Amino acid sequence: MRNLKLTALGALACILLAGCAEKDDIERKVDELLSKMTLREKIGQMHQVSGGADLAEAAAKGEIGSILNCVDPDQINAVQRAAVEQSRLGIPVIVGRDVIHGFRTIFPIPLGLAATFDPELVEQGARVAAVEATASGVRWTFSPMLDIARDPRWGRVAEGSGEDPYLDTQMGVAMVRGYQGDDLADASSMAACIKHFVGYGAVEGGRDYNSTMISERSLRNTYFPAFKACVDAGALTLMTSFNEIDGIPSTGNDFLLRDVLRKEWGFDGMVVTDWNSSGEMIAHGFAKDLKQATEQSVNAGVDMDMMSFGFINFIEELVAEGKIKETTIDDAVRNILRLKFRLGLFDNPYVDASKTRAAAYTPESLEAARRSAAESAILLKNDGGVLPLDDVRTILVTGPMADAPYDQLGTWAFDGEPEHTVTPLAALRERYDVIYEPGLAYSRDRNTADLAKVRAAAARAEAVVVFVGEEAILSGEAHSLSVLNLQGAQSELIAEAAKSGKPVVVVVMAGRPLTIERDLANCDAMLYSFHPGTMGGEALADIIEGKISPSGKTPITFLRDAGQAPFYYNHNNSGRPCNGTETLLEDIPMQAGQTSLGCTSYYLDTGYGPLFPFGYGLSYTTFEYSGIALDSTTLSKDGVLGVEFDLTNTGGRDGVEVVQLYTRDLVGSVVRPVRELKRFERVALAAGETKHLRFEIPVADLAFWTRDMKYEVEPGEFQLWVAGDSASGEPHAFTVE
Ligand code: NOJ
């Protein structure tokens, strides 16, 4: 036994030593190469340009460190050949691309992936994306986007994991692992880029690129955790954000890039700007010209400039004037070269173009995409168990999203090919006798001329399935909205279907949580599918038919009205929280006295609560939590919070429940959120089955940034919930001493 232990220890030591040796070897190579470089060549490495073969000449001169937006393997090889074979030092370029939720095989948008609460599956999806993209020569993706988003007006809510720091962390780390794989130097490994550092999701009013005002404590408690976790997981690169925080644009913020990222977190990867975010500091009114913006960016800790052209044009001058130290440039270039060595680009700079196409759309990739789409669908309503439609033959399929192969791919699907999309219409035709009457041509269509045809067709069907939502262009970067109702005449279409008296199932395919309260009233069942990607049609048909029971949960709060935004479950309490008594507009007597409604925190029109809370989602079966018991209700700061419970499938079908564990710190040196997600797990249960489950959480996980700006657990009273969403369950008390 002892020998066995020693052997195991020896093996571990060897692995660690080998890791260190590899690291030292890379550092040695970086320094050696750096010592040969002229200032001009160093600056070239810091310059990233969008384009393809047209950039070969610049690459041959050593004036480009990276290209983006080229996915043609032949063009990539041409630029690479120029860099490797013609430039003086032969330093390869690194090719970046926004591979956000798949490359060719498109997975659900990241918000949909978050709804799966399935990090393992998300990791698998990111691996698929890496294999497909690297086969084209792309070794760097600008993903994952870790921006916490609590305002669905912001179009980029589609690109992240929603409102919760813990879920965001789990999803972000899963993506980093999937993209980067087990061996960075393997040709199928793609560097991740965690973005946008930081606070971009907090843009005022949900309007893209807008200002933010986030305190350091909020940054640390809410916006940093996923970034820190991804740094710890080995994310190779980081992108600065467009926004300013309290007047300082992120691209010129040395507190963020040097004090926090490098010094506190020990990040040794590479920092890139967002597209022209260095140059945009002029429009912000933070820099007077591109030269000053360059000085600010480099001195703040940016290594590579994406598309502002300031670094390539002004660094030399700034160094000569003593405004940027050459040692600062050396550090930046070290970070860039380290990345290229880590990815093995010096040894294997080229891509084998003969294998590019075969890497795309493999049966395994399509299956992973299908599973992801199935797990991401959220059942919001199912009156009378209308779904699944397992006892009907003839259905009417209607709505502008039923057969929208481009739009169901969602935002940032640059390399997805709509001809590979399986739409719901196509998939349902394989399983039912389908009458198809789209009613509207696209989501914004206001022409109601065809709605009468829908009603007539409904008379011939046993059930109606209405596919509505948003076209891909309505969410994503620069696509914010101030009204979040279904666009065009889609609500009218649903109302028309309801008049038929047939069971009406609504499927929403969108880039954000829309305000669908009025539409819920006009249907029997509603399935919410954030743009589900290539295999969305098959996945949704599997659910509609009952092959799969829905298991997705809302990764973001669903609002009654956009006017409630920002709204998130893990908010702090006001001094006058709503106690459940709300007097709404219609109930207010005329000339009511000023204080007669009570004085608590709610809206007179939409009330206090959301439409659906974070973590919510139904299944075709039902689940019951029982016997929740803590190992101990008094814990020390270095203890472990153990909690056990039974979960029973109380319905008649097999299903999967996403079990969620929340805590609340009742009194803190600063006000603490009313609930915080600490753990979750997908649990599969056969009909009637009970499983005994257990969570163990180190008390250290209850730490936060205190009034003294220390990260620690404060002793005191806590509560814990184990439940199926953020608004359910009973609190269980415990104390930390
Ligand atoms: C701007 C976007 O903000 C960023 O997310 C993206 O990666 C870059 N453009 C590159 O396309």
Side-chain angles (χ1 to χ4, degrees):
M1 183 63 191
R2 186 160 173 269
N3 273 348
L4 228 167
K5 263 193 196 157
L6 283 178
T7 324
L9 275 176
L12 183 67
C14 282
I15 293 171
L16 290 176
L17 282 175
C20 291
E22 200 183 311
K23 208 173 168 188
D24 288 349
D25 191 39
I26 287 185
E27 292 312 309
R28 192 182 44 71
K29 287 181 183 161
V30 165
D31 284 335
E32 200 179 302
L33 184 51
L34 188 70
S35 68
K36 296 185 192 147
M37 294 173 80
T38 62
L39 177 58
R40 194 69 204 152
E41 283 165 336
K42 291 176 189 170
I43 296 168
Q45 286 302 305
M46 298 170 74
H47 183 46
Q48 186 190 44
V49 190
S50 180
D54 52 315
L55 298 171
E57 207 183 312
K61 290 194 216 146
E63 286 182 352
I64 285 189
S66 171
I67 64 168
L68 77 157
N69 290 338
C70 178
V71 294
D72 175 338
D74 294 324
Q75 290 204 35
I76 288 175
N77 279 338
V79 181
Q80 200 63 293
R81 219 169 291 116
V84 172
E85 294 167 27
Q86 294 173 33
S87 75
R88 192 179 75 90
L89 293 170
I91 304 174
V93 296
I94 176 167
V95 182
R97 179 67 160 172
D98 289 284
V99 182
I100 306 298
H101 50 114
F103 183 68
R104 297 283 182 215
T105 306
I106 299 298
F107 284 70
I109 55 170
L111 192 59
L113 290 174
T116 67
F117 282 69
D118 190 344
E120 248 172 65
L121 185 59
V122 169
E123 179 173 339
Q124 216 177 308
R127 191 87 285 276
V128 168
V131 168
E132 290 189 352
T134 55
S136 283
V138 172
R139 294 292 305 276
W140 181 20
T141 175
F142 306 124
S143 169
M145 186 185 101
L146 302 174
D147 297 307
I148 295 287
R150 293 167 160 183
D151 189 332
R153 292 173 297 179
W154 190 47
R156 304 198 80 167
V157 73
E159 296 175 48
S161 298
E163 71 191 32
D164 179 68
Y166 180 74
L167 181 60
D168 190 27
T169 298
Q170 302 305 309
M171 293 297 153
V173 168
M175 287 188 203
V176 169
R177 289 203 181 116
Y179 292 139
Q180 298 192 170
D182 299 330
D183 173 9
L184 294 177
D186 189 272
S188 76
S189 291
M190 179 162 71
C193 184
I194 49 178
K195 70 184 190 185
H196 307 84
F197 198 55
V198 66
Y200 183 29
V203 284
E204 279 179 7
R207 207 175 72 234
D208 209 357
Y209 314 120
N210 209 358
S211 304
T212 73
M213 182 63 77
I214 313 172
S215 70
E216 183 179 337
R217 195 182 333 276
S218 292
L219 283 174
R220 291 184 179 279
N221 281 331
T222 302
Y223 294 89
F224 284 172
F227 284 93
K228 165 78 164 66
C230 287
V231 166
D232 291 345
L236 290 173
T237 75
L238 172 142
M239 186 186 289
T240 63
S241 58
F242 285 128
N243 58 290
E244 48 102 336
I245 302 175
D246 193 16
I248 305 177
S250 302
T251 304
N253 192 329
D254 54 336
F255 164 71
L256 294 176
L257 301 179
R258 292 201 184 278
D259 298 351
V260 175
L261 182 65
R262 298 281 179 197
K263 291 189 197 133
E264 281 185 38
W265 300 352
F267 182 64
D268 68 355
M270 188 192 82
V271 174
V272 65
T273 68
D274 201 342
W275 185 284
N276 190 30
S277 66
S278 176
E280 287 179 12
M281 294 199 292
I282 305 167
H284 275 297
F286 189 71
K288 67 175 188 300
D289 53 24
L290 193 53
K291 184 172 168 185
Q292 192 187 13
T294 300
E295 178 189 339
Q296 289 167 330
S297 307
V298 174
N299 284 337
V302 170
D303 302 320
M304 187 180 275
D305 174 27
M306 182 194 288
M307 293 303 288
S308 83
F309 294 86
F311 287 26
I312 195 78
N313 286 312
F314 296 109
I315 289 182
E316 238 171 338
E317 249 172 82
L318 288 160
V319 169
E321 289 165 14
K323 292 190 173 141
I324 297 178
K325 294 195 190 111
E326 193 157 352
T327 52
T328 305
I329 301 300
D330 286 350
D331 286 344
V333 176
R334 264 196 204 95
N335 295 333
I336 296 165
L337 297 179
R338 186 180 300 120
L339 170 69
K340 293 182 177 182
F341 277 113
R342 281 175 166 169
L343 289 174
L345 281 172
F346 286 87
D347 297 325
N348 290 307
Y350 304 114
V351 56
D352 182 350
S354 69
K355 299 208 175 120
T356 302
R357 271 325 290 192
Y361 308 114
T362 64
E364 297 76 37
S365 307
L366 294 173
E367 179 50 29
R370 178 179 181 155
R371 240 186 92 200
S372 304
E375 288 190 13
S376 72
I378 308 163
L379 183 64
L380 294 177
K381 175 179 181 181
N382 197 15
D383 278 5
V386 159
L387 276 175
L389 297 177
D390 52 2
D391 56 358
V392 298
R393 211 31 279 141
T394 307
I395 60 170
L396 168 65
V397 172
T398 180
M401 295 298 288
D403 195 29
Y406 173 80
D407 288 309
Q408 82 177 50
L409 298 182
T411 186
W412 289 114
F414 280 163
D415 304 298
E417 296 159 317
E419 57 275 24
H420 285 266
T421 302
V422 183
T423 66
L425 177 66
L428 289 168
R429 277 189 167 143
E430 300 289 315
R431 305 162 197 232
Y432 293 94
D433 293 333
V434 168
I435 306 168
Y436 178 50
E437 194 60 69
L440 299 168
Y442 58 108
S443 71
R444 286 164 294 150
D445 191 356
R446 293 183 184 282
N447 181 353
T448 52
D450 282 349
L451 297 195
K453 288 193 202 160
V454 172
R455 183 138 43 128
R460 291 184 281 131
E462 293 163 81
V464 184
V465 191
V466 194
F467 290 89
V468 293
E470 290 181 307
E471 295 150 73
I473 191 66
L474 299 184
S475 61
E477 185 179 348
H479 302 148
S480 296
L481 286 167
S482 61
V483 176
L484 301 180
N485 300 336
L486 282 172
Q487 295 286 334
Q490 295 186 99
S491 290
E492 286 91 318
L493 170 65
I494 296 169
E496 200 64 39
K499 284 186 205 151
S500 70
K502 300 289 169 69
V504 174
V505 175
V506 169
V507 181
V508 186
M509 295 155 97
R512 52 162 70 76
L514 294 168
T515 47
I516 31 96
E517 190 167 20
R518 75 188 63 73
D519 310 301
L520 275 166
N522 284 330
C523 65
D524 301 286
M526 185 182 282
L527 201 52
Y528 209 94
S529 165
F530 295 110
H531 291 131
T534 306
M535 295 299 283
E538 293 288 8
L540 289 167
D542 283 346
I543 291 176
I544 291 168
E545 198 188 21
K547 246 190 180 168
I548 294 178
S549 178
S551 58
K553 298 272 187 169
T554 52
I556 185 163
T557 302
F558 275 55
L559 307 182
R560 293 183 194 284
D561 190 275
Q564 291 178 300
F567 193 140
Y568 45 97
Y569 84 95
N570 42 0
H571 60 87
N572 292 347
N573 245 350
S574 73
R576 294 185 178 187
C578 182
N579 53 12
T581 317
E582 315 165 321
T583 311
L584 299 179
L585 284 180
E586 53 274 25
D587 301 320
I588 304 174
M590 282 177 68
Q591 298 185 11
Q594 162 81 28
T595 55
S596 62
L597 308 181
C599 294
T600 64
S601 177
Y602 71 94
Y603 293 107
L604 294 180
D605 45 10
T606 50
Y608 178 67
L611 186 57
F612 295 108
F614 173 87
Y616 180 85
L618 304 170
S619 160
Y620 289 161
T621 188
T622 46
F623 299 100
E624 195 181 287
Y625 292 78
S626 60
I628 299 174
L630 278 63
D631 293 355
S632 163
T633 51
T634 308
L635 294 149
S636 61
K637 279 189 183 182
D638 56 1
V640 173
L641 174 62
V643 54
E644 301 198 339
F645 56 97
D646 287 328
L647 181 69
T648 304
N649 178 340
T650 46
R653 284 175 180 269
D654 298 353
V656 173
E657 166 75 328
V658 178
V659 177
Q660 299 155 50
L661 187 150
Y662 297 89
T663 59
R664 177 173 182 182
D665 185 347
L666 287 181
V667 179
S669 60
V670 293
V671 176
R672 307 286 297 124
V674 296
R675 273 202 199 197
E676 291 178 283
L677 183 65
K678 292 291 175 189
R679 291 290 184 278
F680 59 80
E681 195 176 322
R682 291 175 60 88
V683 182
L685 288 176
E689 187 185 358
T690 297
K691 275 190 183 158
H692 187 69
L693 300 162
R694 178 175 173 83
F695 282 116
E696 283 185 2
I697 303 156
V699 173
D701 285 13
L702 304 174
F704 67 99
W705 291 86
T706 64
R707 182 160 183 172
D708 300 335
M709 236 10 156
K710 291 193 182 123
Y711 186 67
E712 49 186 34
V713 182
E714 288 182 341
E717 307 296 314
F718 288 77
Q719 287 176 332
L720 167 151
W721 294 258
V722 179
D725 64 67
S726 64
S728 305
E730 290 302 322
H732 294 259
F734 65 96
T735 308
V736 174
E737 291 183 336

